[in-house]
Structures are given as C-alpha cells and as structure tokens.
Amino acid sequence: MTPVVAFDKVSLAFDDHVVLQEISFALLPGRLKIFLGASGSGKSTILRLILGLLRPDSGAIWVHGRRVDQLSESDLMPIRSELGMVFQEGALFDSLTVRENVGYRLYEETRQPIAEIDERVREVLGFVGLGHYGERMPSELSGGQRRRVAIARALTARPRTLLYDEPTTGLDPITALTVDAEIIKLRDLERVSSIIVTHQLRDAFYIATHRATTSAGGEVVLAAVPPEAAHETEFIMLKDGGIGFEGTAAELRASADPYLRTFLS
C-alpha cells in the first residue's frame, strides 16, 4: 500500500534552532496520524512542510506519490488542491455566509456551474450536521459550529488527505466531542486520510479509540474501536527534534517512558 504522505529523514532548522532532525514516518490511505508534543516541538511545522510552505534542509517529503520538497510553487498547486486544511479557530471569512465560505474554493478556483457547487456545499454541510445553516453568517454560529463549517469547507473539493491544526483548541469538552465525531466519520465512512496536530489529549484519545459505522436504518453510530482496527489511528510524539514515540493509543498508555508518563499526566 503506497503512503499518501511520507517523510524520509527530514531535517529542518531555523538558524541554530533544530526543529526536526531526520524525521521519518508514513501515512497510509484511510489512516490517521495524531501528532503530539510540547509547544515548539515542530507539530505545526510538519503540516507546513506537507503543504510546501516550508522546505526541509535535508531529506525527502512525498505527498500523493510526488516528491514535494523539490517542486516549484506552480507545480505545488495541483498537490495542494488534493489537500484539505482545517485551521486553528476555523479561519472563516466573517463577511461571507456559511454557504459562501464552504464553497469558496470551488467558486473562485473552478469553472463548475454554480448549481453544482451549491449542491456539493449542501452535501458537505449535511455531512457535518449543518444542512440548514447555509445562509447564516459566521457570527451567528457557536464555536463548535464554526469548526464544523471549517471541516465542511475543507471537504468541498473532495481532498484525498485532510490536515487539522489544533481542531478543538478553545472549545469546551462537549462541543469538542462534536468536532471529534466529524473527524472519526471522515476516517471511517469516507476513508479520508488525515493528520491531526493537537495538544488536546482527551480529544486525541477519543478519536483514536472510537469508530463510526452506519446502522441498518442509516444512522451513524460511534462505538469503541475493536482491537484489530486499533492500528488505523496512531500517535506520533515529537521530542527534541525527533520521534519519541509512534504507536497506538493502547501502546502509548502502556509506555513506561518517563517523558511520556509526565506528558500524559
């Protein structure tokens, strides 16, 4: 199975500050990686490298079968069109309606008929449970609804891979669970490959230990992940420029490493 994202001995430093040192990992299709680590450990830097917004000092980065660290800006655009990005705080345009926010990329970058775009917008808003919110303004939404609109916007162009930068930061626990549920649904029902950067341990473990299925009546059901599917979501802990841990939720919880124990406590 060919990875959708792969880092091969990637290193990056800003002046004398080493951020990443010979980092290697692979994200397989339909799988999810959760990056943990202290502030400044390089979590968000991973996302910028995938998007081609930063270039490594050494090593190779592959996205959807193409080596992106050597591509020009113009050659990166087709790769970026296959990626969906969910920013911190949602990053919606306050002057546009929900419908206009969600469809923005298609309205501005494609020649699709407006009716087709509007249908796609309705589809993705329905998926995140906001089908009747299209004409509302962002100011009329709760924090959790704004994040779900941001996920819908990232989905509109049918990306192969989604990147989440702190998707639940600043949300109360109950609201955060609604966002967690959308991430789980995308992994299990749509088979979207994903990378999450977060320091919200509760949400990270919830996503890793739950799966979504569809009942006979068509309802989405969240339940505990069976042991044989635990590997579909894995954690990567960044520490001192390298990978301090990589494995499943159960393996992370069982680790006796003093740094991991302190971080999880």
Side-chain angles (χ1 to χ4, degrees):
M1 191 181 298
T2 303
V4 292
V5 175
F7 277 43
D8 182 17
K9 297 182 178 178
V10 171
S11 297
L12 177 68
F14 299 116
D15 297 324
D16 294 331
H17 175 56
V18 176
V19 181
L20 302 174
Q21 187 166 13
E22 295 201 341
I23 291 284
S24 297
F25 71 89
L27 174 68
L28 297 178
R31 303 285 179 84
L32 192 153
K33 294 275 190 186
I34 300 174
F35 280 81
L36 303 174
S39 298
S41 61
K43 301 186 301 295
S44 293
T45 300
I46 295 284
L47 301 183
R48 295 189 183 100
L49 286 165
I50 293 170
L51 289 164
L53 300 177
L54 291 174
R55 293 184 183 273
D57 297 325
S58 61
I61 301 171
W62 299 81
V63 178
H64 301 162
R66 295 192 66 185
R67 184 171 175 180
V68 299
D69 58 285
Q70 297 180 330
L71 294 181
S72 66
E73 185 68 20
S74 60
D75 288 336
L76 278 167
M77 295 309 291
I79 303 294
R80 290 174 181 158
S81 70
E82 298 176 343
L83 299 169
M85 181 74 200
V86 179
F87 298 94
Q88 292 186 39
E89 309 296 335
L92 303 180
F93 297 112
D94 289 336
S95 61
L96 301 182
T97 66
V98 167
R99 175 181 58 81
E100 291 166 335
N101 265 285
V102 173
Y104 185 83
R105 189 169 181 177
L106 298 184
Y107 291 132
E108 295 296 321
E109 298 180 9
T110 74
R111 295 182 179 181
Q112 283 184 246
I114 297 298
E116 288 185 11
I117 297 175
D118 287 346
E119 178 59 31
R120 176 60 179 165
V121 168
R122 284 191 291 269
E123 180 183 350
V124 294
L125 282 175
F127 184 84
V128 300
L130 297 173
H132 300 295
Y133 285 68
E135 297 310 315
R136 296 198 186 187
M137 301 301 292
S139 60
E140 300 177 273
L141 305 177
S142 68
Q145 289 169 341
R146 290 173 69 97
R147 302 295 173 90
R148 285 152 65 194
V149 169
I151 291 173
R153 180 178 60 186
L155 277 177
T156 307
R158 294 183 171 85
R160 295 173 58 185
T161 303
L162 275 178
L163 309 176
Y164 300 88
D165 191 5
E166 300 283 3
T168 59
T169 295
L171 299 179
D172 65 82
I174 293 176
T175 302
L177 283 177
T178 67
V179 177
D180 297 339
E182 301 306 329
I183 296 171
I184 294 167
K185 284 162 55 181
L186 287 168
R187 179 196 62 204
D188 298 337
L189 304 182
E190 301 294 319
R191 306 305 298 171
V192 174
S193 310
S194 305
I195 288 177
I196 300 175
V197 162
T198 186
H199 65 272
Q200 303 293 325
L201 293 176
R202 179 180 180 276
D203 297 308
F205 276 103
Y206 185 86
I207 291 166
T209 58
H210 287 77
R211 77 182 313 183
T213 58
T214 305
S215 70
E219 294 185 358
V220 175
V221 179
L222 296 184
V225 171
E228 65 270 16
H231 64 281
E232 293 185 1
T233 296
E234 290 188 324
F235 289 85
I236 291 181
M237 171 71 76
L238 297 180
K239 177 190 175 189
D240 298 330
I243 293 178
F245 170 86
E246 184 172 10
T248 66
E251 292 166 344
L252 179 55
R253 282 176 168 150
S255 173
D257 180 270
Y259 178 83
L260 293 179
R261 301 311 311 160
T262 301
F263 190 91
L264 294 178
S265 65

